[in-house]
Amino acid sequence: MIREAEVRKALTGIQISRDSPSVSHILFVDDTFISCQASATEGNEVMRILQDYKKASGQKVNLGKCSVSFSPHVPVALRRCILIGLGMREVKDQGKYLGLLSRGTDKKRGLSLHIS
């Protein structure tokens, strides 16, 4: 569903460089990292995908365990709007996961979600 949303241009993954492929998500055993542009529209698309996943699988995402980090260029007002729409908390840095830096934001107006 995430990849399909990226193909439809409803989600915008991040790129490490201009010539690199876009990355919208990384899946681990019980964790998912989603990276997209920091906009209410893309935040709503993430929530739609999570709701569709819940309906299809019967599993519920525990929003209390989820977190969002923003690139430094995202205005505070936009951060608040996105956080309210997602129902998640903000963290300044996602830290490392399995030894990998899990900060998935770029230098533009991006956000990274850690979904447990």
Side-chain angles (χ1 to χ4, degrees), residues 9 96 98 105 108 112:
K9 308 244 186 266
K96 288 188 177 185
L98 298 177
T105 59
K108 298 178 184 176
S112 176

Side-chain angles (χ1 to χ4, degrees), residues 55-112:
K55 288 176 192 172
S57 69
Q59 296 178 322
K60 182 179 177 185
V61 174
N62 183 345
L63 297 178
K65 289 184 173 182
C66 298
S67 60
V68 180
S69 62
F70 295 93
S71 70
H73 304 292
V74 178
V76 173
L78 180 56
R79 290 175 190 225
R80 286 185 191 131
C81 177
I82 293 169
L83 290 168
I84 289 168
L86 291 171
M88 297 177 190
R89 64 186 166 86
E90 180 179 4
V91 295
K92 296 298 176 195
D93 187 347
Q94 296 286 4
K96 288 188 177 185
Y97 185 84
L98 298 177
L100 301 170
L101 184 63
S102 59
R103 183 166 186 240
T105 59
D106 58 10
K107 294 180 181 177
K108 298 178 184 176
R109 292 187 174 184
L111 66 87
S112 176

